[in-house]
Amino acid sequence: YGLTRGDWIHGVLAGITLAMAMLPEEFPVVLTVFLALGAWRMSKQQALTRRMPAIETLGSATVLCVDKTGTLTQNRMSVTRGYVQGEWLAISAQTVQNLPERFHELMEYSMLASKKDPFDPMEQAINEFGTRGLQGTEHLHSHWVLVQEYPLSRELLAVSQVWKGLDNNGLVVATKGAPEAIADLCHLSDQERVQLQTAVSTMAADGLRVLGVAKSHLELTAEIPSDQHVLNFELVGLVGLADPVRETVPAALKECYTAGIRVVMITGDYPGTAQSIANQIGLESGQILTGPDLEKLSDIELQEKVAGVNIFARVVPEQKLRIVNALKANGEIVAMTGDGVNDAPALKSAHIGIAMGARGTDVAREAADLVLLNDDFSTIVAAVKQGRRIFDNLKKAMAYIFSIHVPIAGLSLVPIFLKWPLVLLPVHIVFLELIIDPACSVVFEAEVGETDLMQRPPREPNSPLLGRKTIVLSLLQGLGVLAIVLAVYWYGLFFRDLGEAAARSLTFVALIISNLALIMTNRSWSQTIIENLRKPNPAFWWVFGGATFFLLLVLKVPVLRELFHLAPLHLHDVFICAGLGFASILWFEMLKHHPIK
């Protein structure tokens, strides 16, 4: 401009205008705002974001690996069934008050195998039921002293506690745990094992968590062995605990399947229990793989198995890592839940680690990307939906930024090449940025999700934010606006010979209205502007109202009009420019009814 016209002041202004028009400074702002507000919106839905990239990754999750207890179920257990030597007891409010003598010992040793002040919901249920059912009997031992505890281990899924009574008649050992572990400790015969297995299967078929209970005694002076297997255990019976399914789970699970997301249940419970819960919630089960069977598989064999297994039972936390790695090796994008210390490696390895906030350990929360405050499966599904919405809106915002910079850059360059007077000056770009910045960050971020958000398959994790189709459509939108505003400028400058200021005024109005039209049409790439206006988005109306109000001020207030190098316009000219501005995006509105594949 300076070389061809000899006007270096306007040349510098033209250069500044072009630089302001071309630099997409909105991109880092948009990315920051979207992820920050996305984390805030997720927190409102009981999901805390610990690592920002997880918000975007959630939209591409293909597999959700979830614990059964507390995630699919309410984790509010109650004792509902008892089994002692072939005799069954169905627990009700009446049986609690009149617990048959035959079942007193079962509850006594169940309580002795639990902590006195338990945190675990299962032990809380046992203690609550036992305290009420054994009230007034000699089977409650609140003053006994705990001598030693054999904790749960990977090798033996049972907990034993050694107690010293007040009568000095020796030591009492109480054990509870997985029925097969109790059968092993009691050295049951094959016939007894079959009988026990039948009882366990009956309980598990009703979705109950089944615990075996056993007892043993030691002389007061006897040395307590380091290995429980040395003790002579006697089977007392079985306790069945019910843990109701969360009411929201079946609908959330159905939503996952509609969205093309596979759900895998991982539990330490008996396979029959897991299968019963799967039937209740509508989980596509098929084959069940147990922890001991998993242990026998090589990594390659496990990789083949996990492709068709949706229920893993009798799994210890350490095996979760192998499951995650096998799914990842198959190309899945894995979200994994966990709450214990031993779950941390699996949470870290998963693409999205999800820790339980209500019952999870600090170690699990530190390793996770998301923390569920209510430990609810439906919250995970809501977070996935939120992740998809955020990515969708981020894509729309980027497309809008790309498209609006095309006419701005065009209006900065074309007049120079054609030796027309300058259309845009730095002050006009600043005015436009005051509309563009809140629009691309706040307006598009607040946009509700598309109606088919959870009817689409998960997106490819390596798919670009601005793909070829998005760039082409955005470029065409921008070129459409550029063609309209250039035509308006030519019409005012040459056809009607209104002068530089008046032509600039017409073009500026057309550009502002076109900008608002671009915002409105990009709010949804599947619904028309009329349909979009029915959707709530207060931020849009603030931006639309503010832009219109300040545009009228610039046109009507002489001081501002002079600052912007504009001229007064007739009302009909403003309406014509507004109509042309909206006309620039009509082709895209029609395309929504016949989308390009």
Side-chain angles (χ1 to χ4, degrees):
Y1 191 97
L3 290 172
T4 58
R5 307 190 194 187
D7 187 348
W8 287 100
I9 293 179
H10 283 90
V12 170
L13 289 176
I16 293 172
T17 303
L18 179 61
M20 293 172 68
M22 293 299 290
L23 289 174
E25 79 285 355
E26 296 91 355
F27 285 150
V29 175
V30 166
L31 288 168
T32 304
V33 169
F34 267 64
L35 293 180
L37 289 179
W40 172 73
R41 291 186 192 281
M42 283 193 178
S43 71
K44 302 274 281 184
Q45 295 181 330
Q46 303 295 302
L48 293 183
T49 307
R50 296 195 69 256
R51 293 178 180 84
M52 287 295 183
I55 296 174
E56 183 263 334
T57 310
L58 273 169
S60 57
T62 59
V63 177
L64 296 182
C65 295
V66 294
D67 295 314
K68 176 186 74 68
T69 305
T71 306
L72 299 176
T73 62
Q74 297 177 18
N75 204 24
R76 286 190 290 191
M77 297 192 185
S78 58
V79 179
T80 58
R81 197 83 58 86
Y83 174 84
V84 174
Q85 296 180 0
E87 186 176 336
W88 291 94
L89 176 69
I91 307 298
S92 64
Q94 188 175 359
T95 54
V96 173
Q97 300 300 325
N98 302 286
L99 189 64
E101 181 71 30
R102 192 175 181 83
F103 292 89
H104 283 191
E105 191 177 55
L106 176 64
M107 295 315 303
E108 175 187 7
Y109 282 94
S110 297
M111 292 179 69
L112 288 174
S114 306
K115 295 188 181 299
K116 283 188 175 181
D117 186 18
F119 172 77
D120 181 72
M122 179 178 61
E123 294 190 342
Q124 286 177 344
I126 290 171
N127 278 7
E128 180 185 349
F129 176 79
T131 301
R132 291 161 57 201
L134 300 176
Q135 192 69 40
T137 71
E138 72 279 6
H139 297 286
L140 290 176
H141 310 289
S142 57
H143 300 294
W144 280 19
V145 178
L146 181 64
V147 178
Q148 184 171 319
E149 179 180 5
Y150 294 96
L152 189 77
S153 68
R154 185 175 179 178
E155 292 74 27
L156 186 66
L157 298 175
V159 174
S160 300
Q161 294 196 145
V162 183
W163 296 89
K164 179 182 178 183
L166 301 179
D167 51 9
N168 293 325
N169 284 336
L171 302 175
V172 174
V173 185
T175 303
K176 73 175 191 310
E180 59 268 29
I182 298 300
D184 186 34
L185 284 175
C186 295
H187 305 291
L188 297 182
S189 66
D190 291 343
Q191 184 179 351
E192 289 171 328
R193 285 177 185 270
V194 170
Q195 186 180 0
L196 184 69
Q197 179 64 40
T198 303
V200 170
S201 298
T202 302
M203 285 189 179
D206 293 332
L208 301 182
R209 188 169 192 175
V210 187
L211 291 177
V213 181
K215 65 177 181 178
S216 182
H217 290 83
L218 283 171
E219 293 293 331
L220 191 62
T221 55
E223 182 180 352
I224 301 174
S226 57
D227 186 1
Q228 305 178 64
H229 286 277
V230 178
L231 297 170
N232 294 317
F233 281 102
E234 177 187 345
L235 178 66
V236 178
L238 298 173
V239 175
L241 297 104
D243 187 9
V245 169
R246 291 183 184 269
E247 294 179 359
T248 56
V249 169
L253 191 65
K254 189 176 180 181
E255 196 171 15
C256 282
Y257 290 144
T258 306
I261 302 171
R262 178 181 160 203
V263 179
V264 174
M265 180 199 297
I266 300 176
T267 178
D269 272 352
Y270 196 74
T273 304
Q275 181 66 68
S276 176
I277 297 297
N279 293 339
Q280 291 180 47
I281 63 176
L283 178 71
E284 297 172 358
S285 52
Q287 184 184 357
I288 298 177
L289 188 65
T290 64
D293 292 336
L294 186 152
E295 200 66 34
K296 299 172 187 175
L297 299 175
S298 67
D299 289 342
I300 299 298
E301 291 171 330
L302 179 60
Q303 188 178 329
E304 294 174 358
K305 278 279 187 183
V306 295
V309 176
N310 291 332
I311 298 179
F312 292 86
R314 280 291 185 253
V315 170
V316 294
E318 292 85 348
Q319 293 173 330
K320 285 185 176 182
L321 179 61
R322 289 196 66 197
I323 296 171
V324 169
N325 289 337
L327 288 167
K328 287 170 65 178
N330 287 342
E332 306 282 6
I333 304 300
V334 185
M336 165 68 78
T337 67
D339 55 13
V341 173
N342 294 336
D343 290 333
L347 293 174
K348 201 75 176 174
S349 178
H351 295 98
I352 309 130
I354 305 171
M356 302 296 111
R359 57 188 168 90
T361 61
D362 288 341
V363 174
R365 285 193 285 266
E366 285 294 323
D369 303 294
L370 293 176
V371 178
L372 301 186
L373 298 181
N374 57 0
D375 297 2
D376 192 341
F377 174 74
S378 61
T379 303
I380 303 174
V381 180
V384 170
K385 189 174 183 178
Q386 194 71 252
R388 289 190 176 193
R389 185 195 69 83
I390 290 168
F391 186 84
D392 239 24
N393 290 346
L394 192 57
K395 196 172 179 179
K396 294 173 190 174
M398 293 297 189
Y400 162 71
I401 293 169
F402 192 87
S403 60
I404 189 58
H405 277 79
V406 172
I408 296 174
L411 284 177
S412 301
L413 280 172
V414 171
I416 296 174
F417 293 141
L418 297 179
K419 296 187 177 182
W420 294 355
L422 289 178
V423 183
L424 296 181
L425 300 172
V427 67
H428 301 127
I429 302 296
V430 171
F431 187 94
L432 282 163
E433 292 294 345
L434 290 175
I435 302 172
I436 295 169
D437 287 357
C440 65
S441 54
V442 182
V443 172
F444 284 102
E445 193 285 327
E447 196 61 40
V448 298
E450 300 279 2
T451 52
D452 66 339
L453 201 60
M454 293 299 277
Q455 278 80 49
R456 312 174 196 160
R459 64 176 181 80
E460 292 294 329
N462 56 353
S463 61
L465 191 59
L466 285 174
R468 183 181 299 174
K469 176 185 171 183
T470 306
I471 290 176
V472 169
L473 288 175
S474 301
L475 185 61
L476 289 175
Q477 285 184 45
L479 289 173
V481 172
L482 177 60
I484 290 290
V485 292
L486 281 175
V488 168
Y489 189 51
W490 176 87
Y491 170 79
L493 191 64
F494 298 109
F495 187 81
R496 288 182 57 184
D497 197 20
L498 297 176
E500 180 182 330
R504 181 182 292 118
S505 299
L506 289 172
T507 309
F508 187 63
V509 171
L511 180 60
I512 297 298
I513 301 301
S514 298
N515 184 12
L516 295 176
L518 280 175
I519 297 170
M520 295 170 77
T521 195
N522 280 291
R523 283 180 62 192
S524 172
W525 280 30
S526 61
Q527 294 179 310
T528 63
I529 288 177
I530 302 300
E531 292 170 320
N532 284 335
L533 291 176
R534 300 193 189 106
K535 296 192 296 184
N537 191 334
F540 165 74
W541 292 109
W542 279 105
V543 169
F544 184 88
T548 306
F549 174 73
F550 286 110
L551 177 60
L552 292 174
L553 279 184
V554 167
L555 293 173
K556 291 295 183 182
V557 178
V559 176
L560 294 176
R561 196 165 57 230
E562 185 178 341
L563 178 65
F564 279 77
H565 300 273
L566 303 177
L569 290 177
H570 293 293
L571 189 60
H572 68 272
D573 287 331
V574 174
F575 281 117
I576 290 171
C577 292
L580 289 171
F582 278 104
S584 66
I585 50 87
L586 284 179
W587 69 270
F588 188 68
E589 286 293 295
M590 290 186 287
L591 189 66
K592 291 178 181 180
H593 294 288
H594 304 282
I596 299 173
K597 299 297 182 184

